[in-house]
Amino acid sequence: MLLIRCPYCETARPEVEFRHGGEALMERPRDPSRASDAEWIDYLYMRRNPKGPHAERWRHVHGCGRFFNCLRDTVSDRIVVTWRAGEPVPEVTDGDGA
Amino acid sequence: MVEPVPSTRFTLGNNRAERVSILGIAPGRQFVFRGPREVADQCGAAFGVDLPASPCRANRQDGRAALRLGPDEWLLIALPDDAVLASLRHSLSRFAHALVDVSSSDAVFEIRGPSTALLLNAAIPLDLSPKTFPVDACTRTILAKVGVLLWRTEQECFRLQVARSFAAYVHDVLAEAAWGLPDA
Ligand SMILES: [Zn+2]
C-alpha cells in the first residue's frame, strides 16, 4: 500500500484514506465571458496524461477532507512530493514526499 | 433525539485473557465547529478548552475535549448533561462560523487493553506506535470498509466513533479480529 503524506495532517497516511482528483494546476480562463470555445474545451476536457511525473489533485477524503496537490510518477507510482492547494509548486529534491 | 446505542449490544467484555475489551459508551454531547483560527480561539475561550493548533491532536479539560480534525474543523465533546451549546452560540454570535450539534450521529466504543493497537491494526492501516500516534492523537481514518474517528485517550485505550448504522459492523470486525490475537 502506498503511503501518502497529507500536507494538512502533516503525516504519511495509508492510500485507502485518499481519492484521486484529476490533473492539478489547471487554470480557469481569467475572464470567462471572453474565453473562446476552444479555450473552454481546453480547460474543461484536455488533459496531458503523461508517462512520468504528473501534477495531480488528491483529496484526503477519509481524513481531514482537504484537497491538495501531488507530484506522482505515473510509471513507478512513486509520490515525489505533496503540497497544499493554492501554494506554489515546491522545489523537488530527491527523497521528498511520502 | 435518536435512542442511544445500547451499550450492552456492543459489549464484548474481556476476552482472550483480558488482553482487550470493546465497550459501547455514551457519546455525550458533540459539536462540530468550523471557522477560521481567530474564531476558533473565541470558541476555545467559551468552551474552556483551547482548540488545538496542531493537526490531529486533542486537548482536554474538566470532562470536555476539543479534537482538531481538519485545518478549520474541530470536534467538541462534552459530558451528556453538559448544556454548553447555548453559551457557545451566544459567545460566537458576532462571528462567521458553523456550529452543528452532532450528538446523535455516532456510536462510540472504548477499546482498552495492552493489545488494543494490535487489534485495531487488524482493520486500520495506520501507524499506531506511541511515537507517531501518541496519547491525544486523533484522526478520521478507515476501519475495514467504513470511515471512523479514532482518538488515543490513554497509552492502552482508544476511543472509536463510527456512524451509528455501522456500529454493529465495526464491533463484529473487531470482535472477530480479537480471536486472532497471538497468545501472550
Ligand atoms: Zn489530511
Side-chain angles (χ1 to χ4, degrees):
Chain A
M1 190 182 290
L2 278 180
L3 289 178
I4 301 174
R5 184 182 184 277
C6 173
Y8 293 98
C9 295
E10 297 174 0
T11 44
R13 308 289 291 256
E15 181 186 357
V16 291
E17 293 184 1
F18 297 86
R19 289 279 189 288
H20 186 264
E23 185 170 345
L25 314 179
M26 303 300 297
E27 196 177 339
R28 183 181 167 89
R30 284 180 183 273
D31 189 350
S33 59
R34 286 174 194 274
S36 68
D37 286 357
E39 284 171 316
W40 271 117
I41 289 168
D42 231 33
Y43 169 69
L44 289 174
Y45 303 114
M46 305 311 274
R47 297 295 182 263
R48 295 194 307 123
N49 193 27
K51 184 176 180 180
H54 189 215
E56 298 172 333
R57 301 171 79 220
W58 282 71
R59 186 178 177 213
H60 195 187
V61 59
H62 293 294
C64 62
R66 235 24 71 109
F67 276 95
F68 60 91
N69 294 316
C70 164
L71 189 68
R72 184 179 65 97
D73 191 311
T74 59
V75 177
S76 62
D77 212 17
R78 175 169 174 257
I79 306 259
V80 181
V81 67
T82 58
W83 69 99
R84 295 182 182 194
E87 291 188 352
V89 182
E91 298 239 354
V92 175
T93 54
D94 207 49
D96 265 342
Chain B
M1 182 160 168
V2 190
E3 281 291 299
V5 174
S7 173
T8 47
R9 169 70 182 81
F10 301 112
T11 302
L12 186 70
N14 298 327
N15 70 80
R16 304 280 286 180
E18 301 190 331
R19 279 198 295 275
V20 68
S21 67
I22 307 169
L23 185 68
I25 62 172
R29 307 291 297 162
Q30 300 200 12
F31 316 101
V32 169
F33 169 85
R34 299 195 68 164
R37 184 67 243 184
E38 315 84 76
V39 187
D41 289 338
Q42 299 286 336
C43 183
F47 191 53
V49 182
D50 286 342
L51 271 51
S54 305
C56 304
R57 285 295 180 273
N59 284 343
R60 285 187 264 185
Q61 194 148 354
D62 302 330
R64 293 176 177 173
L67 284 64
R68 189 165 186 224
L69 302 182
D72 66 350
E73 182 178 1
W74 288 264
L75 180 71
L76 312 180
I77 304 178
L79 295 173
D81 55 356
D82 195 329
V84 69
L85 182 61
S87 67
L88 280 180
R89 287 214 191 286
H90 180 73
S91 308
L92 295 172
S93 59
R94 290 183 295 116
F95 304 99
H97 72 284
L99 184 65
V100 180
D101 188 338
V102 293
S103 305
S104 303
S105 165
D106 285 355
V108 182
F109 297 105
E110 188 184 82
I111 304 164
R112 181 184 289 279
S115 297
T116 302
L118 188 64
L119 174 72
L120 290 170
N121 272 149
I124 297 179
L126 203 62
D127 184 352
L128 297 179
S129 61
K131 187 163 152 276
T132 51
F133 206 86
V135 170
D136 279 332
C138 61
T139 184
R140 280 185 290 236
T141 185
I142 294 265
L143 185 149
K145 294 182 179 180
V146 300
V148 297
L149 172 62
L150 186 66
W151 171 19
R152 184 175 221 148
T153 51
E154 297 169 35
Q155 200 62 250
E156 295 185 347
C157 183
F158 288 74
R159 180 183 161 115
L160 180 74
Q161 296 197 188
V162 63
R164 300 164 58 89
S165 53
F166 289 122
Y169 171 78
V170 163
H171 174 270
D172 293 352
V173 165
L174 293 177
E176 184 158 341
W179 285 102
L181 286 175
D183 290 319

